[in-house]
Amino acid sequence: MMGEFDTRLLPATARPDDPAVTQAAKLLRQGELVAIPTETVYGLAANALDPDAVAKIFKAKGRPQDNPLIVHISSLEELPPLVTEIPDRARKLAEAFWPGPLTMVLPRSSRVPDVVTAGLETVAIRMPSHSVARAVIQVSGLPIAAPSANLSGKPSPTSARHCMEDLTGKIPLVLDGGPCQVGVESTVVTLTGDIPRLLRPGAVTAEQLREVLGLIEVDPAVLEKAEDGPVASPGMKYMHYSPKASVVMITGPWSACKDFLARQQDEGVWALVFDEDLGDCPLPAIGLGPRNDAAKQAQHLFSALRELDEQQARLVYARAPFEEGMGLAVYNRLIRAAGFSVIDLMG
Ligand code: AMP
Ligand code: MG
């Protein structure tokens, strides 16, 4: 046995009497951690109302204490006890996008422990749509704090195997609900200011939020490196999603990228490119997904980054995705994997 736990991996269905679901719910009620599938990425779940259980999340992941967690619920009745106010905008967003990959930041109630919110006066809340996640929340009867079920800094897990790679020995149970449909973390929007503000892009796009809310602001940290000091979305300031290799983003037309890549050939140098360009890429390469399908790129991104580790890549040049629609979420994750290092080949 490696580590404190002999970690079990159980296939899970959404049936409330599925033994995997009842076992997960029992562990959560006992204050233990369980990795569960959601539609975005796999989550490392704990009872959100139990500070000791939540503290185990930070320990297992090696997550900085000042990075707050999202609380997951399975029905709207679970929301009022967690917040002091439900603004009209929150009701509208819930109606449009819940259950689904949208997290709302709201004023927190005193029931939510400090360790969940990293001491902030707000709490981030989401209602996932994945049937296994919903079953686990329902059967446990608890609000569930859950960040991504990876070691801090590594690419987020989009399969149960990824969770096992990172957390074997550190937690008692991983539920396998198949590969994640979305593949990147939820959209985060804060509703505490005058104007709703997008803190993290995801599958619910800025355009979709505007359709429901009218005006929204996009936090500068979505596309640029956050300055030192307080930031609206604490998670945005960290180096993230990184394979062991150094990642450098390249922007510009494929012809310019191709010429550049041809000059970089060396041991351990790889490229991450659109599927259409795999055939004439001068470096060994992995496909991110089709050029014009950001949803597919999002699905593949984190497993592609993990695959580059398996290939023992040392340096990876990653073609920049388009920043529209869901492409903004893909770009946001990739630029962080690259530590904001970009080579502009626009010519
Ligand atoms: P993760 O659990 O890794 O998907 O990260 C959750 C992210 O949601 C954090 O890194 C923050 O950026 C954001 N978040 C969570 N709670 C809050 C909050 N109260 N205020 C602002 N952002 C939050
Ligand atoms: Mg994470």
Side-chain angles (χ1 to χ4, degrees):
M1 189 170 109
M2 218 175 65
E4 194 185 339
F5 294 97
D6 188 6
T7 308
R8 273 182 311 148
L9 173 63
L10 293 178
T13 68
R15 291 206 338 264
D17 61 347
D18 182 318
V21 171
T22 52
Q23 183 59 25
K26 187 172 156 205
L27 284 164
L28 290 169
R29 296 197 63 84
Q30 290 170 344
E32 297 297 341
L33 307 184
V34 182
I36 61 169
T38 86
E39 71 277 21
T40 57
V41 301
Y42 274 70
L44 183 57
N47 175 1
L49 302 180
D50 176 349
D52 295 333
V54 174
K56 291 180 184 173
I57 292 179
F58 288 87
K59 183 163 168 254
K61 283 181 60 90
R63 182 177 174 105
Q65 295 283 344
D66 64 349
N67 194 356
L69 306 178
I70 296 169
V71 178
H72 296 72
I73 58 176
S74 63
S75 76
L76 270 184
E77 294 96 82
E78 297 159 52
L79 180 59
L82 301 171
V83 300
T84 55
E85 192 202 331
I86 304 178
D88 216 31
R89 289 165 176 154
R91 292 183 199 284
K92 284 188 185 146
L93 288 178
E95 183 156 330
F97 303 114
W98 277 2
L102 177 70
T103 296
M104 294 188 228
V105 175
L106 294 165
R108 71 146 174 180
S109 81
S110 56
R111 289 191 73 204
V112 182
D114 276 340
V115 61
V116 171
T117 68
L120 297 173
E121 284 311 308
T122 53
V123 60
I125 305 205
R126 180 164 101 83
M127 188 192 294
S129 65
H130 195 291
S131 60
V132 172
R134 295 174 63 74
V136 170
I137 299 168
Q138 268 158 22
V139 174
S140 71
L142 299 167
I144 295 296
S148 48
N150 55 304
L151 294 177
S152 222
K154 292 250 280 170
S156 298
T158 52
S159 71
R161 183 171 67 83
H162 296 159
C163 300
M164 291 298 282
E165 277 168 17
D166 282 18
L167 297 173
T168 293
K170 294 175 186 275
I171 60 172
L173 179 62
V174 175
L175 296 191
D176 188 348
C180 298
Q181 287 305 301
V182 173
V184 293
E185 301 84 348
S186 58
T187 304
V188 179
V189 63
T190 180
L191 301 175
T192 54
D194 287 340
I195 300 172
R197 178 179 280 250
L198 177 68
L199 299 182
R200 179 172 74 183
V204 173
T205 63
E207 294 82 351
Q208 285 176 301
L209 292 173
R210 282 196 189 97
E211 273 175 35
V212 175
L213 296 175
L215 190 63
I216 65 158
E217 285 172 349
V218 176
D219 197 273
V222 167
L223 288 173
E224 287 153 36
K225 193 172 164 80
E227 297 299 321
D228 287 341
V231 287
S233 183
M236 294 285 226
K237 73 182 180 201
Y238 293 106
M239 178 82 179
H240 248 329
Y241 319 118
S242 308
K244 291 189 194 102
S246 306
V247 179
V248 176
M249 191 186 261
I250 54 174
T251 61
W254 176 236
S255 55
C257 291
K258 211 165 60 172
D259 290 348
F260 172 81
L261 294 176
R263 296 193 300 271
Q264 312 308 318
Q265 291 173 0
D266 201 352
E267 182 82 26
V269 181
W270 281 69
L272 181 63
V273 298
F274 298 132
D275 290 355
E276 291 88 341
D277 302 323
L278 280 171
D280 66 342
C281 184
L283 291 179
I286 288 180
L288 178 62
R291 184 185 297 120
N292 291 318
D293 191 341
K296 280 263 159 50
Q297 295 168 19
Q299 256 176 13
H300 286 150
L301 175 66
F302 290 135
S303 60
L305 292 176
R306 281 178 185 256
E307 197 182 329
L308 287 160
D309 271 350
E310 281 158 28
Q311 299 287 352
Q312 296 182 327
R314 166 175 76 71
L315 174 60
V316 177
Y317 292 102
R319 183 103 188 270
F322 305 117
E323 295 157 40
E324 283 131 48
M326 232 188 128
L328 186 64
V330 181
Y331 184 96
N332 170 275
R333 303 314 187 274
L334 200 50
I335 192 94
R336 279 171 174 71
F340 295 90
S341 141
V342 182
I343 296 178
D344 184 356
L345 302 166
M346 288 299 188

